[in-house]
Amino acid sequence: MPPRVNLNKCNGCEGLPESKCEEACPGDLMAVDPRTNKAYVRFAGDCWDCMSCTKACPTKAIETRVPYQIGYHKASLKPIMGSNTITWKCVDINGKEETYKYRNRMDK
Ligand code: SF4
Ligand code: SF4
């Protein structure tokens, strides 16, 4: 399912030549509406849930919805980026939360 942008958290990556979610999307699906300065998915049906935009957003404004066929209502999966780690926060349909932390490939 395409990502959902929290309009209260999105600041349009103000000051950057290109927003982080636009820069990250391999399908060129993300855009920032110049009237509202908020991001949106241009072609939701083309999104393949790679979560690149979710991980790249500096304000944590993008949420990936888990398709109901996989997770049912209330289930969610959220990546939290660290400097050289990624933590996946998983919530199942009963609200049970688990986290998995891995080193990523952005080590410097
Ligand atoms: S990366 Fe986040 S803050 Fe920046 S435009 Fe996209 S959704 Fe908004
Ligand atoms: S999840 Fe991946 S394909 Fe879908 S909008 Fe985000 S970056 Fe693009």
Side-chain angles (χ1 to χ4, degrees):
M1 296 190 61
R4 177 183 301 186
V5 178
N6 181 327
L7 301 181
N8 293 321
K9 290 185 178 176
C10 174
N11 62 8
C13 282
E14 230 160 38
L16 295 179
E18 183 180 27
S19 74
K20 291 289 183 182
C21 56
E22 286 177 292
E23 188 181 83
C25 181
D28 195 21
L29 305 178
M30 296 300 296
V32 175
D33 185 333
R35 295 166 298 174
T36 61
N37 204 32
K38 305 290 179 185
Y40 66 98
V41 188
R42 297 192 301 149
F43 308 108
D46 290 344
C47 171
W48 59 84
D49 302 322
C50 73
M51 290 190 169
S52 296
C53 57
T54 312
K55 293 183 221 171
C57 176
T59 65
K60 303 194 185 333
I62 306 179
E63 175 187 302
T64 300
R65 287 172 285 168
V66 178
Y68 77 90
Q69 294 93 336
I70 298 172
Y72 299 98
H73 181 59
K74 290 186 181 167
S76 65
L77 182 62
K78 190 184 216 179
I80 301 163
M81 299 305 291
S83 57
N84 61 356
T85 59
I86 180 167
T87 301
W88 291 97
K89 184 174 164 188
C90 315
V91 180
D92 72 12
I93 56 173
N94 299 313
K96 186 177 165 219
E97 194 176 303
E98 289 185 83
T99 56
Y100 304 90
K101 189 172 185 177
Y102 301 98
R103 289 173 67 85
N104 64 20
R105 289 191 281 172
M106 295 165 75
D107 293 351
K108 295 186 176 97

